[in-house]
Amino acid sequence: MSKTFRAWKIEEPLLLPVTVADFVAERHLARFVLSVVRDEVDLGKITGTYGSELGQPPFNPIMMTALLLYAYCSGIYSSRRIAKACGERVDFMSIVGLDVPDFRTISDFRKRHLKALSELFKQVLLLCGKAGLVKLGHVALDGTKIRANASKHKAMSYGRMAERATELEAEVAGWLSAAEAADAEEDKLYGRDKTGEELPDWVADKQRRAEKIRQAKAELEAEAKAAAEAECKERAAAEAMREAEGRHGRKTAPPSPTPDAQAQKNFTDPESRIMKSKDGFVQAYNAQIAVDAEAQIIVAQDVTQSASDCAQLLPMTDAVETNLGRKPEQASADAGYCSEENLAGLEARSIDGYVATGRAKDAVAGTAKDEAARAPSSTQPAETPTRVEGMRAKIKAGGHASPYRLRKQLPEPVFGQIKQARGFRQFLLRGFEKVRAEWALVCTAHNLLKLANGRSLSVALRSAVAAG
């Protein structure tokens, strides 16, 4: 008994849709991103750079911006993979049409307009605020280590630099001497106008490597000197404040302007740093976010070269006000952000802080064993409770119902969505400023996805109310 199957029309000519937008559903994310980029954000800093009519007409910068943002929303970051998707996936075709940009065009556009693209973060954030997705009732801060586009094996410690540079220079000098002797012998045999074999390429490579090592050594020395001078100024200011308050602290040795022998510099991305992560020690940057409790919108973001989070609490809190024009009512963070100065800064800004003073599992019970190491107390007399001690008592009194718990519940899912769901685990670009701009793009894509979900939910609720 035969069975009738649906007709298989793989060789039948097709009548294409009226527009490429018909390739995807009406509420598809690609349509949403294209609509936001075309109608709701200001791309003047990008479109304004095109003036000359000479040469081949470039791709529309509005289309290229929408393409990049949609690719980041889809977890595709490589220019080659983006170009491939434009030729194979109908959702990408609905943005670029049937005129696929080359991967070099995509890469060059991102490099050329990187700063302007990173500034879209604030515009998208304001759109999230208008949509009611940002309340600033509570903001949680956290950081995560993201690998740099460099291997940790391409780094060298300060103590090894001088020794290795000398070795390379001596080796190159030996080969140059041997080459000169060989040239002299060949001159006797063939005459001075005849050339012998050229020096091996690796000799020049070793020369360049020795020069690079010397340069990295000088950079480490300059960084150590600048850090020592900054620390001396901070100590002097703190000492003057203590004397003005009638307190006296223990004198400490001045900081050394010489780099530590273990200090390292990477030759692929010199501005990245060795940092400890869950995967061990990696060549990385420390990516920071502040997340609003209403809909997990990222309200502030940045990247730092320091493995420690402590110095980022107040700058990130101020960045929230810069981006949205008002301060959060509450802020929470883990123990890496805890210090007397940070807690004093939150008080001065009238922000209700919930900053962990020790290990998370012991914080509410008030039995943390490493609180002293994570949050050193000030030099005030023992009978005067420090801000860290006050925070510890505040968290203990609040129990498990305290907003303190939000310090993990808000940023950790966002990092999971970025790193696991959308696969962003390593920066593509090199250099601190480029990495900061790339992280801003990643956070912009996250907020765009939240905005799309928020607007879709609003439409669904209005439809349900109208039907009811």
Side-chain angles (χ1 to χ4, degrees):
M1 183 177 177
S2 62
K3 175 68 177 177
T4 302
F5 297 99
R6 185 188 294 268
W8 190 8
K9 304 176 182 178
I10 61 172
E11 296 180 353
E12 182 176 330
L14 299 176
L15 296 176
L16 292 178
V18 177
T19 68
V20 291
D22 295 329
F23 287 159
V24 296
E26 184 177 351
R27 294 185 181 178
H28 195 278
L29 178 64
R31 285 199 182 201
F32 173 80
V33 172
L34 186 58
S35 173
V36 169
V37 172
R38 291 173 67 177
D39 304 328
E40 300 187 57
V41 299
D42 180 11
L43 297 180
K45 290 187 177 181
I46 295 178
T47 58
T49 61
Y50 297 88
S52 174
E53 289 295 330
L54 300 177
Q56 183 74 9
F59 284 92
N60 192 310
I62 300 176
M63 180 271 283
M64 295 294 291
T65 302
L67 172 62
L68 274 176
L69 287 177
Y70 180 69
Y72 273 67
C73 289
S74 304
I76 301 178
Y77 310 103
S78 163
S79 57
R80 285 177 169 82
R81 290 185 61 205
I82 295 173
K84 183 178 180 182
C86 290
E88 297 179 352
R89 290 177 46 169
V90 293
D91 52 342
F92 279 80
M93 292 179 191
S94 70
I95 294 177
V96 302
L98 302 179
D99 189 10
V100 178
D102 183 79
F103 77 90
R104 291 184 183 85
T105 301
I106 298 171
S107 177
D108 291 344
F109 180 85
R110 177 165 50 190
K111 290 178 182 177
R112 177 181 178 183
H113 302 292
L114 189 59
K115 187 176 186 300
L117 289 169
S118 70
E119 293 174 359
L120 295 179
F121 171 80
K122 185 174 181 179
Q123 293 192 50
V124 172
L125 176 58
L126 292 174
L127 292 177
C128 292
K130 291 179 181 178
L133 301 177
V134 178
K135 300 298 184 184
L136 293 187
H138 187 100
V139 168
L141 293 83
D142 203 359
T144 186
K145 309 302 188 296
I146 296 182
R147 293 177 183 269
N149 188 1
S151 169
K152 67 178 180 180
H153 301 295
K154 294 297 183 181
M156 184 177 291
S157 66
Y158 176 78
R160 175 68 176 143
M161 283 180 180
E163 177 184 352
R164 184 55 182 156
T166 302
E167 290 175 358
L168 288 173
E169 289 167 348
E171 190 172 346
V172 171
W175 276 94
L176 290 174
S177 298
E180 290 176 0
D183 285 344
E185 186 65 26
E186 289 175 355
D187 284 345
K188 293 179 181 179
L189 293 175
Y190 307 113
R192 295 183 61 84
D193 295 335
K194 301 292 183 179
T195 59
E197 295 182 357
E198 297 291 336
L199 288 175
D201 291 340
W202 60 265
V203 174
D205 288 343
K206 288 190 175 183
Q207 285 178 315
R208 285 193 293 269
R209 183 164 177 79
E211 292 170 0
K212 204 167 187 178
I213 290 173
R214 296 286 188 194
Q215 179 182 353
K217 181 172 177 287
E219 289 175 359
L220 280 176
E221 290 171 347
E223 290 172 4
K225 183 178 179 181
E229 291 175 353
E231 188 173 347
C232 285
K233 291 180 180 178
E234 290 178 3
R235 289 187 183 182
E239 180 65 25
M241 183 178 295
R242 283 195 297 268
E243 290 180 357
E245 296 175 354
R247 297 183 287 115
H248 300 283
R250 182 171 56 89
K251 297 291 184 181
T252 58
S256 173
T258 304
D260 185 89
Q262 300 300 317
Q264 293 190 340
K265 179 71 74 172
N266 190 279
F267 298 118
T268 305
D269 185 356
E271 294 180 306
S272 62
R273 299 290 184 265
I274 291 286
M275 299 183 183
K276 187 176 182 180
S277 70
K278 295 179 180 178
D279 301 322
F281 288 94
V282 294
Q283 197 75 32
Y285 289 93
N286 187 355
Q288 299 280 317
I289 58 172
V291 181
D292 184 74
E294 180 68 18
Q296 292 184 345
I297 299 293
I298 299 175
V299 292
Q301 50 74 33
D302 204 354
V303 173
T304 176
Q305 296 167 290
S306 172
S308 171
D309 294 328
C310 192
Q312 305 307 314
L313 180 66
L314 299 181
M316 288 291 290
T317 305
D318 292 339
V320 175
E321 184 177 9
T322 301
N323 292 336
L324 293 168
R326 54 196 177 97
K327 295 178 289 189
E329 297 174 10
Q330 295 179 346
S332 62
D334 62 24
Y337 293 88
C338 189
S339 71
E340 286 288 315
E341 292 75 13
N342 283 346
L343 298 182
L346 291 179
E347 289 180 13
R349 290 163 175 79
S350 300
I351 297 175
D352 186 14
Y354 294 86
V355 183
T357 61
R359 297 172 61 183
K361 66 179 182 180
D362 298 322
V364 173
T367 58
K369 297 179 180 179
D370 58 346
E371 286 171 341
R374 288 181 175 270
S377 61
S378 70
T379 56
Q380 294 178 357
E383 62 272 9
T384 305
T386 65
R387 290 184 175 88
V388 172
E389 292 169 345
M391 179 61 65
R392 188 179 310 146
K394 177 181 179 181
I395 292 173
K396 183 179 178 181
H400 293 283
S402 168
Y404 164 79
R405 71 191 188 283
L406 296 175
R407 83 198 189 287
K408 290 295 184 186
Q409 293 179 9
L410 293 178
E412 290 297 339
V414 174
F415 283 138
Q417 292 159 24
I418 291 174
K419 299 176 76 172
Q420 184 64 30
R422 293 191 288 278
F424 188 82
R425 295 183 173 275
Q426 182 174 12
F427 289 107
L428 292 177
L429 305 180
R430 295 170 181 168
F432 181 53
E433 290 302 324
K434 291 181 179 179
V435 163
R436 291 181 71 191
E438 187 177 2
W439 180 242
L441 261 178
V442 172
C443 295
T444 302
H446 172 85
N447 286 350
L448 264 177
L449 287 167
K450 294 293 184 181
L451 181 61
N453 292 335
R455 288 186 177 178
S456 298
L457 182 60
S458 297
V459 171
L461 289 175
R462 286 198 298 267
S463 301
V465 170

